[in-house]
Amino acid sequence: MNTILVSVKRGMALILFAGLTNSTAYAMDRFTLSLGANEHWDSNFARSADVDSEHYTHSVISVALNERLSKQDFSLGVSGNHYAYAERDDLDVSFYEGNARWRSDWSTRVKTDFTWVRDAYAVDRLEFADKDVVARDNFAGQLTMGVGQRLGFTVGARQVAQTHSNELRESLDFDDDEWFVASTYTTANKSFLSLRLREGERVYENPLPDALTSLDFDYRQLEVESSWALTRKTQLGFTLGRFKREGEINAGTGTQAVVDLDWAVSEKLTLSLSYSQSEPAVGETSDSPADVRASRISLGWEPSAKWSLSMAAGYSTQAYVQRLTEPARDEHITTLSPIALTYQFSEMLKFRLSSQWVDRESPLEYRDYDYAQASLGVALVF
């Protein structure tokens, strides 16, 4: 379930996310239809010093289809989202998300995979004060050929289109076209090590009329990806990449990294650690930090088949270079999720309780705030 972050400048706020999730799902062997509605309360919707609360309803309808014919796997899922606001009906908005996949095993050595994923979200007030939906369509296709029992070679292409529904933000719309080649080695215990070369170009479709320079750029990235079973209970996954961008504004070299470590402490207790580093391109988001580094630790416990409990903490740093009227700066975000409790009452009924506290520290007064969040949800499946 999506929740909009709430913030309070120099204070603390609490969202009571009532899971009035009248969620009814009709499930067949291959087809699923689900309906849901969630009630949200935001105590500082405008992200300002003044108390400016809002109540809104998030309604969702989704369908999913999964089918396997011989050695062909097909899947399709589409969801419609609608946000209705009590005080600001001018912000009411509807949008859809979806995904599709066709995976084929033509032989033991030749495989193809085609995917489409559409993600979308209504922007937070800190990002943009008016109504806007950011959507990103990701199309990808690849051909994999195996050599022997362990080695495989992959060639493929990817196309990403990002759009904004608000015409004031159309300058951030872009198309990203890429091709890639990879070589992967897989071990007997399903661990793998992959070397991948990616090359492409990004074009911003609607540049500002008075823009002196272009956000467009070409890029090349070499990366290593792996998932490794260190022990029977410990799994290490990582992706390390080095890229080069060539453009008027987006130029230079940089690093991207993701590292995950999962440890099954016991049959009921798990520990997860993660770290990521990225250097987003200017114009990829309206926020456009030059460097983002984030770490997270989470603990999960399942005392029984009906109960599960998790807690997590995270810390991230976002570095910004000087642009227009905003100075160069670092912002620090601390996140604490003290409880996420799930109770599976029956196969048809599930309850979930969660909470979160976030503190953002910034030298810019309007971006310096903290907030607390709580959520209560119920799901019905028929």
Side-chain angles (χ1 to χ4, degrees), residues 10 36 129 236 248-249 316 320:
R10 295 181 180 174
L236 174 67
E248 295 183 20
I249 293 179
S316 65
Y320 296 82

Side-chain angles (χ1 to χ4, degrees), residues 261-278:
L261 179 65
D262 297 313
W263 177 30
V265 183
S266 67
E267 292 183 357
K268 299 180 181 294
L269 190 65
T270 59
L271 177 67
S272 298
L273 304 172
S274 67
Y275 172 81
S276 64
Q277 176 185 347
S278 63

Side-chain angles (χ1 to χ4, degrees), residues 124-135:
D124 183 74
R125 299 305 95 190
L126 181 66
E127 182 178 352
F128 187 63
D130 203 351
K131 178 168 63 177
D132 185 33
V133 173
V134 182

Side-chain angles (χ1 to χ4, degrees), residues 16-85:
L16 292 179
F17 168 83
L20 300 181
T21 315
N22 291 326
S23 178
T24 305
Y26 302 89
M28 301 173 63
D29 291 341
R30 299 180 298 273
F31 178 76
T32 301
L33 167 66
S34 62
L35 306 172
N38 306 297
E39 296 296 320
H40 300 252
W41 286 265
D42 190 328
S43 63
N44 188 18
F45 185 75
R47 307 300 184 255
S48 65
D50 300 327
V51 176
D52 193 2
S53 62
E54 176 64 281
H55 164 231
Y56 58 96
T57 302
H58 177 201
S59 304
V60 184
I61 179 172
S62 63
V63 294
L65 175 66
N66 294 279
E67 184 68 70
R68 181 172 178 83
L69 300 174
S70 183
K71 296 182 179 181
Q72 316 288 310
D73 286 322
F74 301 92
S75 64
L76 174 66
V78 179
S79 66
N81 297 264
H82 179 70
Y83 284 85
Y85 295 86

Side-chain angles (χ1 to χ4, degrees), residues 6-8 11-17 40-44 53-54 354-357 370-375:
V6 59
S7 63
V8 174
M12 181 75 71
L14 180 66
I15 298 180
L16 292 179
F17 168 83
H40 300 252
W41 286 265
D42 190 328
S43 63
N44 188 18
S53 62
E54 176 64 281
S354 64
S355 61
Q356 187 179 63
W357 174 78
D370 58 32
Y371 71 88
Q373 171 182 310
S375 65

Side-chain angles (χ1 to χ4, degrees), residues 208 210 212-213 249 282 286 321-329:
L208 295 173
D210 56 349
L212 299 178
T213 54
I249 293 179
V282 178
S286 59
V321 299
Q322 183 173 0
R323 296 193 183 105
L324 299 178
T325 60
E326 292 193 346
R329 67 191 187 276

